[in-house]
Amino acid sequence: MQTHEIRERFTQHFVNAGHTEVPSASLILDDPTLLFVNAGMVPFKPYFLGQQNPPFPNGTATSIQKCVRTLDIEEVGITTRHNTFFQMAGNFSFGQYFKEGAITHAWTLLTGKVEEGGYGLDPERLWVTVYLDDDEAADIWHEKIGIPKERIQRLGMADNYWSMGIPGPCGPCSEIYYDRGPEYGREGGPIADDNRYMEIWNLVFMQNERGEGTGKDSFEILGPLPKKNIDTGMGVERVACILQGVDNVYETDLLRPVINVAEELTGTTYGSEHQVDIRFRVIADHSRTGMMLILDGVTPGNEGRGYILRRLLRRIIRSARLLGAQGKTMEAFMNSIMDTMTPSFPEIAANRERIVRVAVAEERAFLKTLESGTHLFENAAAEAQDAGRKTLSGSQAFTLHDTYGFPIDLTLEMAAEAGLEVDTEGFEKLMGEQRARAKADSKAKKHGHTDLSVYRDFVDNHPTEFTGFDELETTSSIIGLVKDGESINQAHEGEEVEVILEATPMYAEAGGQLGDRGVIRAGETLLQVNDVQKIGKKLWVHKATVTNGGVDVGSTVTAEVDHKWRHGARQAHSATHLIHAALREVLGPTAVQAGSMNRPGYLRFDFNYTDQLTPEQLADIERITNQAVDIDWDVNTIETTLDEAKAMGAMALFGENYGERVRVVEIGGPFSMELCGGTHVKHSSQIGPVAVLGEASVGSGVRRIEAYSGMDSFQYLSKEAALASGLAASMKTPTEQLPDRIAALTEKLKAAEKQIAQLHQQQLAAQTAGLVNQAVDINGVKVLCSRLPEGTKGGDLRKVATDLRGRFGQDPAVLVLATEDGAKVPFIVAATKAAVDKGVKAGDLINVLGEYIGGRGGGKPDMAQGSGSQAEGLDAGFNAVKDALQQLVG
């Protein structure tokens, strides 16, 4: 079924059900909060917010809204379901039908017979999710629609609760997923695998009002809305993907023709390898988004919407060049995408010439700078990589921007592809200097980059032979010496130098394992190796200090690994594999490695997981890991092809670009089997004890476990045992009873602290009770201004003010209290209801006092608090408050 027909069937289905057909709004709306329309409901916001009455006769509407989400730019092509431009088909009800109606409408269209206007999807392949406590929606799906309970899954606020991100309407939602089959992932529904189970429709039940807050799940729900509304969104591209039987949204009838054109222009075949496919998908996706933006009046520029369009078009051009295109490509891409999109958007035909003209002009301008700028970037990246650096300097990024017109985003993207970061702080500093001084001055600061291409010949013609899997000492020859980025022939005592050997047993940092330490010997000459880095995946660079004698290029030397260092590194790296396996056993297969670092005796392991681990889970991970150590499994390494390794079940991590031959490290058969190029122990028992130190969050959806291995673990556990033993002795309690003893003491301490707090409050109440008599009358309002005893905590002010205010009963009264709490001067203003009725506002009076004591505050009419720092101004401040009240109630 073609996409145009999918759109027609959706619209007709809801028009037949009494909905008003609403044409798609422009991608550019008069909304200061949005660059582009990014959701189907955006044009209907005034109706959902109650700002306007919906102009639809039946209180229902349907539309297929064109949308652009710029946050998805970096995901394009990498995932199989992200588009920057997409069509969101929706139906909307403003106080008419609610959950049952929305669910029934969606189900009827999705599963209805094709000959009767439906999509004909197999109902047995549809799954749904509902909000955690939305029993009403779950019951409708099960009892009314007939979906088995096992295909109804519940998710929390972050996934199945909708709001606009600001105070206003909100509510639970229900999402419909299509099971694409076992070839796309594991069983278990959307919770288990959202690639196999593709979300195609989201039904939002607007029934509540939300308050202030941030994020998807950190806001207060204030109560129900006066009217319950429906907002749904069906992804047209995703439904097309399913109905057309293609693997992803880039291969549907709308985008695949652009890929075909790109194949013809580049001579490269789509589907040959992942990175190549990403570039084809970028071309297809961005061609459509760019065309639709130009259609709606956006032109390339350096700011706002124009910058987004320029960035998209330049990514197309660069991707085509990387695929092999030699000449201009934009006109062909634009014509192809306009051919596929015109049936759905007839207005394209009248704007065809303008769209091509804008796109081709941008291509012409960018091609003039792309070649020279790309060459400069490649040189800079090579210099950084050859020197073992992981960062491109700010000055290099600035030169690309200033001289060659490269947006910083493009430099960041190219750097990421090269495995580099960019010194953005340095870049921003130079940008600031450029704005502050003449261009000629700034140009003077952009010369003299060090040439670090000295390693290139070694990478290409003399790759290092690594012998460290089989031996810790290797006789070799020095084939290169580098100092300060330049090739040298000799190095002398006291110099720091980079040594390139023909062969080495020293491991170069990779896969999370730090580089080896060791020595290079030649007679009386001794070099201390402090680090080993890999360049171009082929060249080992030994960073060393000449501690005795001197050395020449061509010298025969013996390279020896520090045995203790390697032993500890092997233990930690093998322990990392065991912890990974234990983690997956405890948390399930969704806990996937996201990074690691191991050095002798210590490891940290990052993994994708959203929830904090419980103490019980951590204990289980530690127990399973040490059981694997105790079993004394053989640690086997197998060299094989990548396909054979995957067939064995070996885990390939990080989406790395592995070669044809790979190394599989297997511990305990299926317990742990990973692709890994690191060094490992021979038997799991050689790891020694593993002590898990704890876990914590290190980013959104990523957590980290830290642990010790070997002697470091033993020493840590010994210290812990000694601490527990000493504590038990001081408490005269057996070690095993320490937790109960400490818990009991903690409860006693809490009780004592509570009793002290109560006594403090009683004492403070007794000290301040008499203050009521010090109140003065100002035109019928009793006013009490007083300093509380020094040392009174700021937190006590509110309690004292509330107590004293109650003592005035129904009389109009205002209390102004302050105290000195260290260097701070907390203060509070409280007013009785009778005083508020006279026009007193505590929030106004608090600022009057604040002006005299260097502070400020805020609150409600009956009570406001603040804090200052100048106690000497209190008396004057009290008088100012009295004067203000005199004028207010006079």
Side-chain angles (χ1 to χ4, degrees):
M1 188 180 295
Q2 297 296 292
T3 301
H4 182 59
E5 184 180 353
I6 293 170
R7 288 168 46 96
E8 288 181 334
R9 285 173 179 258
F10 184 94
T11 300
Q12 196 58 50
H13 175 77
F14 284 100
V15 168
N16 291 343
H19 294 64
T20 300
E21 180 182 358
V22 179
S24 172
S26 168
L27 286 166
I28 305 168
L29 285 185
D30 186 19
D31 187 333
T33 66
L34 295 173
L35 273 178
F36 307 109
V37 171
N38 60 2
M41 59 77 60
V42 170
F44 300 92
K45 278 171 61 176
Y47 314 130
F48 288 127
L49 291 172
Q51 297 168 345
Q52 300 177 26
N53 292 321
F56 314 118
N58 296 326
T60 58
T62 185
S63 74
I64 301 180
Q65 176 62 43
K66 47 191 179 184
C67 305
V68 167
R69 288 185 183 169
T70 56
L71 292 178
D72 287 342
I73 288 178
E74 302 301 336
E75 297 297 323
V76 170
I78 297 175
T79 71
T80 59
R81 59 188 185 275
H82 281 92
N83 290 135
T84 49
F85 173 91
F86 57 95
Q87 302 170 75
M88 188 58 72
N91 57 289
F92 308 90
S93 170
F94 306 95
Q96 304 303 311
Y97 59 81
F98 197 49
K99 293 182 182 179
E100 184 172 347
I103 290 171
T104 303
H105 281 310
W107 186 259
T108 303
L109 176 59
L110 290 175
T111 62
K113 295 180 180 179
V114 173
E115 58 267 26
E116 296 177 0
Y119 292 144
L121 295 181
D122 181 358
E124 299 300 315
R125 302 184 75 167
L126 294 176
W127 291 62
V128 296
T129 61
V130 297
Y131 180 58
L132 285 175
D133 63 3
D134 194 354
D135 295 331
E136 179 185 0
D139 290 342
I140 293 170
W141 279 116
H142 178 59
E143 297 171 9
K144 303 287 185 181
I145 302 301
I147 291 186
K149 289 186 177 180
E150 58 267 24
R151 295 214 312 272
I152 303 172
Q153 298 183 326
R154 297 181 185 247
L155 292 171
M157 249 186 160
D159 297 293
N160 272 59
Y161 205 93
W162 176 91
S163 80
M164 284 188 285
I166 58 174
C170 65
C173 58
S174 180
E175 297 173 331
I176 306 173
Y177 291 78
Y178 182 82
D179 180 4
R180 299 199 290 166
E183 64 270 29
Y184 289 97
R186 57 187 181 280
E187 295 182 356
I191 291 177
D193 191 329
D194 64 358
N195 182 55
R196 169 175 171 172
Y197 301 88
M198 180 184 283
E199 179 194 349
I200 56 175
W201 207 331
N202 185 16
L203 315 178
V204 177
F205 311 129
M206 283 189 212
Q207 62 188 51
N208 297 317
E209 181 181 359
R210 66 159 278 181
E212 295 286 351
T214 58
K216 292 184 176 181
D217 53 4
S218 57
F219 54 83
E220 181 183 5
I221 298 174
L222 302 179
L225 291 171
K227 289 184 178 180
K228 296 179 179 180
N229 303 319
I230 286 295
D231 158 29
T232 86
M234 186 196 80
V236 172
E237 282 77 7
R238 295 189 181 188
V239 173
C241 178
I242 293 167
L243 293 180
Q244 294 172 20
V246 296
D247 283 341
N248 57 68
V249 294
Y250 304 97
E251 298 175 10
T252 65
D253 60 316
L254 296 186
L255 295 184
R256 180 64 207 225
V258 184
I259 292 177
N260 295 341
V261 171
E263 286 181 309
E264 295 173 7
L265 294 174
T266 64
T268 304
T269 303
Y270 178 72
S272 57
E273 62 177 273
H274 182 63
Q275 188 60 44
V276 167
D277 289 353
I278 289 175
R279 290 167 182 154
F280 276 112
R281 293 167 183 167
V282 166
I283 291 171
D285 174 89
H286 290 3
S287 293
R288 180 171 65 169
T289 305
M291 184 273 293
M292 296 301 293
L293 289 178
I294 297 171
L295 175 66
D296 279 0
V298 182
T299 56
N302 293 326
E303 295 180 354
R305 299 183 178 104
Y307 177 76
I308 295 296
L309 175 59
R310 171 161 286 168
R311 184 181 176 197
L312 292 172
L313 296 180
R314 290 187 173 189
R315 290 190 81 198
I316 296 169
I317 299 163
R318 178 171 171 269
S319 296
R321 302 278 283 193
L322 289 173
L323 289 172
Q326 298 299 316
K328 297 177 181 179
T329 58
M330 191 62 72
E331 183 172 1
F333 293 152
M334 288 293 120
N335 280 326
S336 176
I337 196 63
M338 286 189 289
D339 288 342
T340 65
M341 295 293 288
T342 298
S344 296
F345 299 94
E347 62 269 27
I348 291 174
N351 291 276
R352 194 174 188 114
E353 182 180 346
R354 178 177 63 86
I355 292 170
V356 171
R357 184 174 67 252
V358 171
V360 168
E362 180 64 13
E363 179 182 45
R364 188 183 306 116
F366 187 49
L367 283 177
K368 291 179 181 178
T369 62
L370 181 61
E371 184 171 351
S372 54
T374 299
H375 181 67
L376 177 65
F377 173 84
E378 290 173 349
N379 285 344
E383 290 172 3
Q385 292 167 334
D386 291 349
R389 296 197 308 268
K390 298 182 179 180
T391 303
L392 200 69
S393 73
S395 62
Q396 291 168 319
F398 179 79
T399 301
L400 284 165
H401 168 82
D402 184 61
T403 306
Y404 297 95
F406 267 41
I408 184 62
D409 301 275
L410 180 55
T411 302
L412 290 169
E413 181 178 314
M414 293 171 68
E417 292 175 356
L420 298 170
E421 295 181 348
V422 177
D423 176 14
T424 53
E425 288 187 8
F427 170 81
E428 292 296 340
K429 180 180 178 182
L430 287 173
M431 285 293 292
E433 292 176 353
Q434 183 197 51
R435 287 187 289 266
R437 60 185 68 181
K439 192 172 184 179
D441 291 335
S442 62
K443 280 185 176 180
K445 302 180 182 297
K446 291 178 285 177
H447 299 301
H449 299 301
T450 306
D451 181 7
L452 298 176
S453 59
V454 63
Y455 300 103
R456 181 56 51 202
D457 179 62
F458 296 107
V459 173
D460 294 338
N461 303 310
H462 304 284
T464 306
E465 178 189 354
F466 178 60
T467 62
F469 288 135
D470 303 313
E471 60 188 33
L472 298 182
E473 186 175 318
T474 297
T475 299
S476 183
S477 61
I478 296 177
I479 60 175
L481 294 170
V482 177
K483 182 179 180 182
D484 297 330
E486 296 184 357
S487 179
I488 59 175
N489 293 320
Q490 295 179 326
H492 306 286
E493 187 172 331
E495 288 186 304
E496 293 184 357
V497 65
E498 294 175 350
V499 183
I500 302 171
L501 299 176
E502 191 173 36
T504 181
M506 298 188 198
Y507 184 81
E509 181 177 342
Q513 180 176 333
L514 296 186
D516 276 335
R517 305 296 185 265
V519 295
I520 298 174
R521 303 177 188 274
E524 297 297 321
T525 295
L526 181 66
L527 287 79
Q528 190 71 43
V529 177
N530 306 309
D531 190 15
V532 186
Q533 292 293 323
K534 193 184 297 185
I535 294 177
K537 297 185 177 181
K538 296 180 179 180
L539 189 70
W540 272 237
V541 175
H542 305 73
K543 299 187 176 184
T545 301
V546 183
T547 58
N548 191 61
V551 69
D552 301 317
V553 172
S555 299
T556 298
V557 296
T558 299
E560 182 181 349
V561 178
D562 182 323
H563 291 225
K564 184 178 180 181
W565 176 279
R566 173 65 73 85
H567 177 61
R570 284 172 170 169
Q571 289 178 309
H573 201 157
S574 299
T576 302
H577 283 228
L578 296 187
I579 286 210
H580 189 191
L583 188 78
R584 291 169 63 82
E585 188 170 315
V586 172
L587 302 181
T590 58
V592 178
Q593 181 173 345
S596 68
M597 191 283 284
N598 49 79
R599 56 171 169 76
Y602 169 83
L603 67 93
R604 66 176 186 234
F605 184 87
D606 297 345
F607 58 100
N608 295 315
Y609 203 66
T610 55
D611 299 329
Q612 181 179 357
L613 271 60
T614 66
E616 291 76 19
Q617 288 173 322
L618 272 181
D620 285 344
I621 292 167
E622 186 176 61
R623 173 181 54 79
I624 293 169
T625 300
N626 282 290
Q627 284 177 343
V629 171
D630 185 60
I631 290 172
D632 194 24
W633 275 317
D634 288 341
V635 178
N636 300 310
T637 57
I638 306 160
E639 289 194 6
T640 183
T641 65
L642 181 59
D643 289 340
E644 288 174 348
K646 290 180 178 178
M648 292 165 56
M651 292 188 64
L653 306 176
F654 310 127
E656 288 189 6
N657 185 17
Y658 295 97
E660 276 301 309
R661 301 292 296 179
V662 295
R663 196 164 178 269
V664 178
V665 176
E666 174 259 313
I667 309 175
F671 179 74
S672 173
M673 189 178 296
E674 299 184 19
L675 298 184
C676 180
T679 62
H680 292 273
V681 297
K682 300 294 184 183
H683 303 274
S684 63
S685 62
Q686 294 174 340
I687 296 171
V690 177
V692 174
L693 306 179
E695 68 91 37
S697 172
V698 291
S700 178
V702 179
R703 304 197 69 81
R704 171 176 293 170
I705 282 181
E706 295 182 272
Y708 286 137
S709 60
M711 281 302 298
D712 288 78
S713 174
F714 172 76
Q715 291 169 358
Y716 167 77
L717 294 172
S718 295
K719 289 179 181 178
E720 292 289 296
L723 178 62
S725 178
L727 193 58
S730 66
M731 291 187 173
K732 299 180 180 179
T733 301
T735 305
E736 61 272 14
Q737 295 179 15
L738 267 180
D740 292 338
R741 175 67 170 153
I742 292 173
L745 288 175
T746 301
E747 287 302 315
K748 285 184 178 180
L749 181 60
K750 287 180 180 178
E753 289 175 341
K754 184 177 181 180
Q755 185 176 18
I756 291 171
Q758 290 173 344
L759 290 173
H760 172 71
Q761 291 301 320
Q762 293 171 4
Q763 183 183 33
L764 191 61
Q767 289 176 329
T768 58
L771 292 176
V772 174
N773 300 324
Q774 299 177 16
V776 297
D777 186 280
I778 298 180
N779 295 328
V781 177
K782 294 179 179 179
V783 181
L784 171 63
C785 295
S786 179
R787 298 180 189 229
L788 296 187
E790 187 173 341
T792 303
K793 298 297 182 183
D796 294 330
L797 281 177
R798 194 175 190 90
K799 297 174 183 176
V800 173
T802 302
D803 176 64
L804 289 176
R805 184 175 58 180
R807 294 175 182 269
F808 285 99
Q810 302 300 316
D811 296 334
V814 176
L815 300 87
V816 186
L817 307 176
T819 187
E820 294 184 53
D821 186 5
K824 296 182 180 180
V825 184
F827 56 99
I828 191 168
V829 176
T832 62
K833 183 179 183 302
V836 174
D837 290 342
K838 281 181 170 287
V840 172
K841 293 182 180 179
D844 292 342
L845 296 177
I846 202 79
N847 290 322
V848 173
L849 178 57
E851 290 180 7
Y852 288 83
I853 59 174
R856 56 183 302 176
K860 297 180 179 180
D862 64 335
M863 187 170 291
Q865 284 185 268
S867 181
S869 58
Q870 301 167 12
E872 64 273 13
L874 276 174
D875 291 338
F878 288 157
N879 290 331
V881 171
K882 291 176 183 178
D883 290 342
L885 283 169
Q886 179 75 43
Q887 295 179 15
L888 178 66
V889 298

